[in-house]
């Protein structure tokens, strides 16, 4: 059985059944291999900008005898991609890079994208919603002590401006009231308390988080 990190396993679990997957920045290709092994994915494309990761991915695909249902491509994001994928994973990058990749590709209506950004998740949420990508699910976890957000969106083509709470807390996460996420927000609020004085954006973020925590009934 193929073993994945906590982060990659969470991404795997968000992939719908019977998907055709495009893994952008596939690295070692293990997410693809696991998704086919588990029966979630029937066909996959592994895309990477560098030859070395693709070489490692090729070894793993061959190791698990998946050459018939996996195509690996040397590619910058989704530039020039013409595969028939209906589910895309873009993970382990900064928000601006992820957004550039999304902007550079024409998605079909109802295509799914599973995103894990290392930076600027509130900014990315607003960009996605304003461009017609509906946030269907969100996960938060500490992966090796690192706060990690995973966002699943579909291209509904319905543009929407998020409220401040939806943008900063997350439209799904704000409803779930996950204990681990509440702990993270409390830590974030406490950090902002000491640095917000001379930055309007940080002060605004502090106020939104504080209001949310008070309204959620979260205990210290």
């Amino acid at each position: 059985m193929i073993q994945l990190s906590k982060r990659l396993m969470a991404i795997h679990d968000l992939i719908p059944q019977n998907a055709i997957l495009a893994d952008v920045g596939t690295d070692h290709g293990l997410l693809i291999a696991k998704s086919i092994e588990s029966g979630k994915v029937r066909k996959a494309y592994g895309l990477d900008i560098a030859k070395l990761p693709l070489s490692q991915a090729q070894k793993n695909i061959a190791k698990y005898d998946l050459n018939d249902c996996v195509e690996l491509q040397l590619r910058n994001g989704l530039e020039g991609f013409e595969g028939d994928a209906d589910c895309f994973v873009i993970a382990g990058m900064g928000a601006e890079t992820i957004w550039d990749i999304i902007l550079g590709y024409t998605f079909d209506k109802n295509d799914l994208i599973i995103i894990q950004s290392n930076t600027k998740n509130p900014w990315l949420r607003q960009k996605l919603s304003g461009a017609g990508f509906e946030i269907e699910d969100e996960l938060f976890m500490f992966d090796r002590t690192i706060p990690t957000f995973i966002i699943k969106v579909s291209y509904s083509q319905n543009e929407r401006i998020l409220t401040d709470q939806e943008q900063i807390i997350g439209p799904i996460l704000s409803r779930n009231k996950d204990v681990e996420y509440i702990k993270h927000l409390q830590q974030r609020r406490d950090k902002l308390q000491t640095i917000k004085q001379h930055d309007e954006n940080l002060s605004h973020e502090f106020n939104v988080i504080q209001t949310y925590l008070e309204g959620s009934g979260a205990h210290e």
Side-chain angles (χ1 to χ4, degrees):
M1 183 178 292
I2 299 168
Q3 299 296 320
L4 296 179
S5 68
K6 182 180 179 181
R7 176 181 69 94
L8 286 181
M9 196 64 205
I11 292 171
H12 163 275
D13 290 345
L14 289 175
I15 297 171
Q17 206 68 28
N18 207 35
I20 300 177
L21 177 66
D23 184 18
V24 183
T26 195
D27 198 17
H28 41 54
L30 289 178
L31 176 62
I32 284 176
K34 178 66 176 179
S35 300
I36 295 174
E37 178 194 61
S38 68
K40 283 207 156 198
V41 167
R42 54 193 167 96
K43 178 181 176 183
Y45 300 89
L47 316 179
D48 210 288
I49 195 172
K51 292 181 179 179
L52 189 59
L54 276 185
S55 176
Q56 183 59 51
Q58 182 60 63
K59 291 176 183 176
N60 284 325
I61 297 306
K63 175 182 176 182
Y64 295 107
D65 195 23
L66 300 174
N67 287 311
D68 290 345
C69 48
V70 176
E71 183 178 332
L72 299 175
Q73 300 180 8
L74 185 66
R75 199 170 292 285
N76 182 9
L78 286 164
E79 285 182 14
F81 178 68
E82 297 180 349
D84 54 345
D86 54 18
C87 179
F88 300 77
V89 170
I90 312 175
M93 309 175 198
E96 290 95 340
T97 298
I98 291 172
W99 185 236
D100 285 346
I101 290 171
I102 291 172
L103 283 180
Y105 185 73
T106 302
F107 291 93
D108 292 332
K109 189 172 183 180
N110 298 321
D111 277 350
L112 293 175
I113 316 174
I114 301 169
I115 298 163
Q116 184 266 303
S117 172
N118 294 333
T119 62
K120 296 174 69 172
N121 282 282
W123 175 86
L124 187 55
R125 286 189 190 103
Q126 195 66 278
K127 286 289 187 182
L128 289 163
S129 294
F133 294 91
E134 181 180 351
I135 298 175
E136 292 192 350
D137 204 355
E138 297 178 287
L139 299 177
F140 172 83
M141 70 189 67
F142 287 105
D143 185 30
R144 298 178 182 176
T145 74
I146 299 171
T148 301
F149 293 85
I150 302 171
I151 304 172
K152 180 179 180 178
V153 302
S154 63
Y155 188 41
S156 67
Q157 301 179 352
N158 297 321
E159 299 178 5
R160 179 170 174 263
I161 303 302
L162 299 178
T163 66
D164 288 350
Q165 178 178 291
E166 288 173 327
Q167 181 181 359
I168 291 172
I169 309 296
I172 308 299
L173 287 171
S174 62
R175 297 201 300 265
N176 290 347
K177 294 182 171 59
D178 176 76
V179 173
E180 200 168 38
Y181 188 45
I182 293 293
K183 177 183 176 183
H184 165 71
L185 289 174
Q186 290 170 338
Q187 292 171 345
R188 177 66 180 165
R189 177 203 57 194
D190 293 346
K191 180 178 180 181
L192 289 170
Q193 176 77 61
T194 64
I195 61 174
K196 67 183 175 68
Q197 283 76 11
H198 305 294
D199 188 309
E200 286 187 11
N201 290 330
L202 294 181
S203 182
H204 177 63
E205 181 185 354
F206 171 85
N207 290 334
V208 171
I209 292 174
Q210 177 73 347
T211 299
Y212 171 76
L213 290 173
E214 290 173 351
S216 70
H219 299 288
E220 295 298 325

